[in-house]
Amino acid sequence: MTLSELNSLIISDLTPALGQGEAKATARMLLEDDLHATPTTLFTRGDRVLEPETVARYRRFISRIAAGEPPQYVLGSARFMGMELKVTPATLIPRPETAELVDIITDRCKNRPDLRVLDIGTGSGCIALALSRALPFADVEGIDISAEAIAVASENAIKLGAKVDFHVQDIFSAPAATYDIIVSNPPYIAESERPSMERRVKDFEPGSALFVPDSAPLRFYTAITAYAKSNLDDGGLLAFEINPRFAEELKSMMESCGFNCEISRDSFGKNRFALGTHAS
């Protein structure tokens, strides 16, 4: 089988499950990430004959993705802000919206020296690692309750040569410290929203990093805001990725804790970020 034929096979076999547009995007991801074959390679070297072992591996990839498994888990990696990160079912797959949050923080804080940054619920470490690259003089720390996630984040840091301190810690019992930036993309999807979600998300990504009870949708935001109130330095920034459904309720909670809160939209026009600073 040639490279071009493999590309066509991926698209044809995944189109019934994903639709043609997403099947084409998935084919491109698989070929680029696993074989380093770009669209240019397909054009110039599409007649390259592949080893039978390679074709067999891709047939296994196709079968897993057609069954609903995210291609990032099949490959074991995901791209985020110019980084290739290891991801496993113990970590969420980084989203473009999360990259927007990193950009917001960077734009606001890039001229501030000697920053101390805490990423709560770090998962794969995507936010902490991206901020470490964007704010090179910052002291960045990432915590997560999952030891499996911290192992993945630590591996990503080593691979990238990033100086980020990752360790297991529950925010509900985190020790006192002083930070200039506290950022988090905590669980924020209400359990009642689960049935409407894509199967590849709700059945494969870690539920503990996604879902919160309908009775307490701001559970993690409330704990993190209380922690930030005591541990964020004067002029510090508290930055959240949020569920648009609870934006106003979250804003009120943060303001009641003494923060000036701004709700910001993502590139899709949804209320996706909450940015808090100490009220003067």
Side-chain angles (χ1 to χ4, degrees):
M1 181 178 289
T2 66
L3 186 59
S4 289
E5 289 171 340
L6 176 60
N7 182 60
S8 297
L9 176 69
I10 296 169
I11 294 170
S12 63
D13 281 12
L14 291 182
T15 292
L18 306 181
Q20 189 176 59
E22 190 170 350
K24 287 181 176 179
T26 301
R28 178 171 179 172
M29 179 194 304
L30 292 175
L31 293 176
E32 286 191 10
D33 288 4
D34 186 59
L35 293 180
H36 307 291
T38 66
T40 300
T41 307
L42 281 170
F43 181 74
T44 60
R45 300 189 59 200
D47 59 352
R48 168 189 161 198
V49 177
L50 301 172
E51 296 290 335
E53 294 81 3
T54 299
V55 176
R57 183 172 74 251
Y58 270 86
R59 290 190 185 279
R60 292 193 294 271
F61 287 174
I62 292 168
S63 178
R64 291 168 63 184
I65 295 169
E69 189 173 354
Q72 293 89 343
Y73 288 160
V74 171
L75 290 168
S77 66
R79 294 185 180 182
F80 182 77
M81 302 194 78
M83 302 179 292
E84 186 169 326
L85 302 175
K86 178 179 179 178
V87 292
T88 75
T91 67
L92 292 181
I93 297 167
R95 264 56 173 198
E97 295 89 341
T98 304
E100 293 182 48
L101 178 60
V102 172
D103 283 337
I104 291 171
I105 296 169
T106 301
D107 288 343
R108 291 189 177 216
C109 302
K110 60 186 176 184
N111 295 321
R112 295 179 57 186
D114 302 323
L115 293 168
R116 188 168 184 200
V117 182
L118 175 65
D119 174 26
I120 298 171
T122 195
S124 67
C126 62
I127 293 176
L129 292 166
L131 287 173
S132 177
R133 286 160 61 102
L135 305 170
F137 299 108
D139 179 7
V140 183
E141 179 183 348
I143 63 172
D144 202 291
I145 196 172
S146 166
E148 292 88 350
I150 288 298
V152 171
S154 298
E155 188 173 332
N156 283 327
I158 292 169
K159 176 183 173 183
L160 294 166
K163 294 182 179 179
V164 179
D165 176 20
F166 289 113
H167 57 273
V168 177
Q169 179 64 62
D170 186 346
I171 186 56
F172 291 96
S173 58
T178 302
Y179 298 98
D180 301 289
I181 301 169
I182 294 178
V183 56
S184 185
N185 177 20
Y188 62 61
I189 302 171
E191 281 288 349
S192 59
E193 297 177 271
R194 187 192 290 261
S196 64
M197 296 180 64
E198 291 184 356
R199 180 172 171 263
R200 71 175 64 186
V201 176
K202 64 184 179 183
D203 288 356
F204 289 92
E205 297 196 54
S208 60
L210 289 170
F211 297 107
V212 287
D214 286 75
S215 59
L218 301 183
R219 177 173 181 260
F220 292 99
Y221 294 98
T222 301
I224 294 168
T225 300
Y227 182 80
K229 182 177 181 180
S230 300
N231 295 280
L232 197 61
D233 206 358
D234 291 341
L237 175 67
L238 174 60
F240 287 125
E241 185 172 329
I242 70 172
N243 186 335
R245 180 178 169 187
F246 304 114
E248 290 306 315
E249 185 179 346
L250 174 59
K251 185 174 187 290
S252 296
M253 181 275 292
M254 292 177 67
E255 290 177 342
S256 71
C257 290
F259 286 87
N260 290 317
C261 181
E262 169 192 352
I263 302 296
S264 181
R265 297 180 185 274
D266 63 18
S267 58
F268 298 101
K270 295 184 178 180
N271 289 330
R272 183 63 65 189
F273 313 111
L275 308 165
T277 54
H278 281 297
S280 57

